[in-house]
Amino acid sequence: MSQIRHALSVTRDADFAAWYQDVITEAEMAEESGVRGCMVIRPWGYGIWERIQKLMDERIKAAGVENCYFPLFIPLSFFAKEAAHVDGFAKEMAVVTHHRLIADGKGGLVPDPEAKLEEPLIVRPTSETVIGAAMSRWVQSWRDLPLLANQWANVVRWEMRTRMFLRTSEFLWQEGHTAHADRADAMIETLRALEMYRSFSEEALAMPVFAGEKPENERFPGAVATYSIEAMMQDGKALQAGTSHYLGTGFAEAAEIRYQDREGQQALCHTTSWGVSTRMIGGVIMTHGDDDGLRVPPAIAPQQIVILPMLREDDGDAALLAYCEELRAALVKQSALGEPLRVLLDKRPGKATQKRWAWVKKGVPLILEIGGRDAAGAMVSVLRRDRLWREDAKVNFAAQAREAFLAAAAAEIEDIQRSLHADATARRDANIERGVTSLAELEALFADEKRYPGWVELSWSRPGGAELEEVVAKLKALKLTIRNTPLDAAPATGTCLFTGQPAVERIFVARAY
RNA sequence: CGGGGAGUAGCGCAGCCCGGUAGCGCAUCUGCUUUGGGAGCAGAGGGUCGCAGGUUCGAAUCCUGUCUCCCCGACCA
């Protein structure tokens, strides 16, 4: 087994952070842009994002939410209206202060002091405030509610430390914003969005997650309650992959989103917001990637099957290409996961082996290498990306009769989707410790700096305020954070290992990205 | 924002300490031979050494500033 010559130069075991960077580079997903914290998303990475967009957008629309678009720039005064919101974002904001450049006399350009804006504009870090302003115009009567809006957009947060896809200064996302007549209706929407994210993550990304409520210290600035989906990466750390917030009436008060109820009284709306971003792609890399690069779940793979003709640059190529084209045509008539198969015939010149390793690193689910003998004998040579190596350390090609392969291809694509999800779920569940009942046990578990043991699920008394701050500080000493209170957890048992009070619920505790 | 490391050909790097006019591997191109599983040999092309100043007869190399990236911390829907 050790003779396997992997496609990447860094393994996950040797250096997980370097491996993550290497996958992104080698799979040609994204690259440096030269602008601090901002990345160029290359076709393969953007193709995955387009798949995520398409499948998520269908779910959003199915829930009756309509897409719209709001400005990139937000007047500073809009933002200043909700105090907690300002506090949460003030330190990481890009601000536009001028509208013109002039020559500095040294061959460069500087902002023209004469062209200073009356009121600075901030580049949106999130759009609650602008969308709130629109909602206050759109909502007049109880008949206008609920108001369900979403936008696909880019946002900017000037983070101190950035990592490709996981935390970039600019990122792409969708943000849903809704207004409701009362708390109950808004909570239903908040939890609907959370469940949409949970099922999307499991079904489309094949990434198992726990959906639950964040502790009060982790709430979105200005929110009354914040919910998240949390995924476990292969290094055992947690990734918050999506959030849904119940905002109460605070934002409605700031933006004056009011309606006249059935009794003729003015009332404040209850609002929600929810979003997922390009961070999900980082989650897919760290959930499914291996030492040969990315493995893309078929549901979000820009191409699910790549056909590589073994071109010889001779007279036989024409017949070989005709066979491959005919194979492609037969495949795209089939459907898997509810959509036609996405199949690419890679006719570019070059050696088939080199092209093969490029596709392996990109993680395309099925690779077909077709030579002259396959064409003559009505055969295909099939390589499953999720089962790349044989026991003897050779690449795991399976020679199959063309007809047999065609009959099974769609099922095989669906099997890869299932298999990636099953593997990720098994790995996650094997790395959750549930037997911790005291702080001393928790500390002992994380005592070894070299070996991070994964997540801990434990029971606590859900302290708040100063008492919670103490708990957070104790966990911080172990580099741990509270991820969420899973909605489907077993009932809490015993006493809280932090406060000694009777436990009321279970939480996940983990290191996080 | 603090500490550490780095920026030299498309990619990965050496050269820097001790200034003398640009090098290696992979990739690319050409030719020949191979080729059913990550080919071999020979030859060729490609770089204002991150950027801006300074010192010097001369700077990839020394000095100052600045931008960007990576790691650790702080911060962080």
Side-chain angles (χ1 to χ4, degrees):
Chain A
M1 293 294 278
S2 57
Q3 311 93 329
I4 289 179
R5 185 179 158 199
H6 286 294
L8 299 183
S9 52
V10 195
T11 62
R12 289 162 292 176
D13 270 354
D15 186 340
F16 196 80
W19 167 83
Y20 177 76
Q21 290 290 131
D22 207 34
V23 173
I24 291 168
T25 303
E26 292 296 319
E28 299 182 338
M29 300 175 79
E31 65 186 15
E32 271 322 309
S33 65
V35 180
R36 186 200 149 80
C38 297
M39 59 181 173
V40 174
I41 307 178
R42 302 183 66 181
W44 190 248
Y46 198 76
I48 293 170
W49 178 240
E50 286 181 312
R51 291 292 311 158
I52 290 173
Q53 279 188 304
K54 178 181 187 292
L55 296 175
M56 184 68 82
D57 201 53
E58 286 171 3
R59 289 171 189 242
I60 290 169
K61 287 185 174 129
V65 182
E66 294 180 300
N67 280 334
C68 40
Y69 187 78
F70 290 85
L72 171 68
F73 300 121
I74 302 178
L76 194 53
S77 58
F78 272 44
F79 212 82
K81 284 176 188 166
E82 218 290 334
H85 196 55
V86 182
D87 285 351
F89 284 107
K91 282 172 283 187
E92 52 180 60
M93 220 92 97
V95 186
V96 179
T97 54
H98 293 75
H99 64 81
R100 189 164 64 213
L101 297 170
I102 53 167
D104 65 357
K106 289 179 278 187
L109 291 166
V110 291
D112 183 353
E114 302 290 308
K116 193 161 184 222
L117 296 179
E118 279 291 299
E119 180 183 2
L121 297 171
I122 61 161
V123 181
R124 63 181 165 217
T126 180
S127 303
E128 274 75 7
T129 55
V130 258
I131 295 182
M135 283 177 163
S136 78
R137 297 191 297 274
W138 297 346
V139 174
Q140 304 292 330
S141 148
W142 61 272
R143 292 187 184 86
D144 298 326
L145 297 173
L147 176 61
L148 308 173
N150 178 67
Q151 79 166 343
W152 289 93
N154 57 339
V155 291
V156 169
R157 298 179 188 179
W158 214 259
E159 301 284 358
M160 284 291 131
R161 188 174 168 193
T162 59
R163 279 166 184 276
M164 288 221 181
F165 289 111
L166 298 177
R167 184 175 292 104
T168 44
S169 299
E170 178 190 22
F171 56 92
L172 308 182
W173 75 344
Q174 61 68 216
E175 46 180 326
H177 297 270
T178 68
H180 305 263
D182 55 36
R183 179 194 163 90
D185 200 45
M187 277 304 299
I188 288 170
E189 174 61 17
T190 305
L191 294 174
R192 182 205 64 77
L194 182 71
E195 169 55 22
M196 173 175 73
Y197 292 159
R198 189 205 60 77
S199 62
F200 176 85
S201 182
E202 304 258 353
E203 291 161 18
L205 309 182
M207 182 168 78
V209 293
F210 289 109
E213 185 178 357
K214 302 291 280 186
E216 77 179 42
N217 64 307
E218 301 269 358
R219 273 181 203 143
F220 176 71
V224 173
T226 286
Y227 298 83
S228 71
I229 52 170
E230 302 280 335
M232 186 192 288
M233 305 294 99
Q234 286 184 63
D235 60 353
K237 286 161 86 172
L239 182 74
Q240 177 174 297
T243 49
S244 183
H245 315 287
Y246 167 59
L247 301 175
T249 55
F251 283 87
E253 201 159 359
E256 299 189 325
I257 312 171
R258 294 169 198 277
Y259 69 98
Q260 196 166 23
D261 67 20
R262 289 164 200 256
E263 284 74 46
Q265 302 298 308
Q266 288 290 312
L268 282 172
C269 286
H270 293 246
T271 64
T272 81
S273 68
W274 29 273
V276 296
S277 71
T278 37
R279 172 181 273 193
M280 276 188 154
I281 296 174
V284 167
I285 295 168
M286 290 194 290
T287 298
H288 301 302
D290 66 15
D291 293 339
D292 297 292
L294 185 63
R295 297 190 297 174
V296 195
I300 56 163
Q303 305 294 346
Q304 295 165 316
I305 302 175
V306 167
I307 304 173
L308 293 178
M310 300 176 72
L311 299 171
R312 306 279 285 268
E313 294 181 359
D314 63 20
D315 295 345
D317 285 359
L320 178 58
L321 280 172
Y323 178 77
C324 290
E325 180 53 52
E326 196 273 328
L327 186 62
R328 193 195 68 82
L331 284 167
V332 297
K333 284 185 197 142
Q334 301 193 23
S335 285
L337 302 163
E339 293 180 84
L341 285 175
R342 294 183 291 282
V343 185
L344 176 74
L345 171 54
D346 185 356
K347 292 193 259 196
R348 291 172 302 169
K351 291 175 207 138
T353 47
Q354 287 192 344
K355 292 199 286 180
R356 172 172 88 220
W357 287 107
W359 286 113
V360 164
K361 288 188 281 190
K362 283 185 158 74
V364 71
L366 275 187
I367 296 170
L368 309 181
E369 274 185 39
I370 311 293
R373 257 175 258 166
D374 293 312
M379 300 288 288
V380 292
S381 194
V382 184
L383 182 61
R384 258 179 81 142
R385 179 59 183 87
D386 63 330
R387 297 175 189 171
L388 193 57
W389 301 102
R390 293 195 320 217
E391 287 294 321
D392 62 0
K394 295 228 165 85
V395 177
N396 190 19
F397 276 108
Q400 295 179 19
R402 178 185 172 282
E403 292 311 315
F405 170 72
L406 282 174
E412 187 138 42
I413 287 292
E414 291 178 353
D415 187 58
I416 293 170
Q417 183 79 24
R418 241 188 331 269
S419 166
L420 288 174
H421 183 258
D423 287 357
T425 306
R427 188 172 48 236
R428 178 194 67 176
D429 291 344
N431 286 290
I432 299 176
E433 175 63 57
R434 297 176 201 264
V436 175
T437 55
S438 73
L439 190 58
E441 282 175 37
L442 188 66
E443 283 165 350
L445 193 58
F446 292 95
D448 185 353
E449 280 293 321
K450 293 188 188 72
R451 196 188 150 276
Y452 171 65
W455 296 12
V456 175
E457 188 186 35
L458 51 82
S459 297
W460 80 331
S461 61
R462 193 180 172 119
E467 213 178 5
L468 174 61
E469 291 310 313
E470 273 182 50
V471 172
V472 169
K474 280 176 189 163
L475 290 171
K476 192 170 180 175
L478 300 170
K479 297 181 186 175
L480 297 172
T481 55
I482 300 167
R483 302 318 302 161
N484 67 19
T485 298
L487 296 181
D488 59 354
T493 53
T495 58
C496 173
L497 60 85
F498 303 110
T499 66
Q501 307 285 315
V504 299
E505 64 185 19
R506 290 176 186 271
I507 53 171
F508 283 116
V509 159
R511 288 186 189 155
Y513 278 96

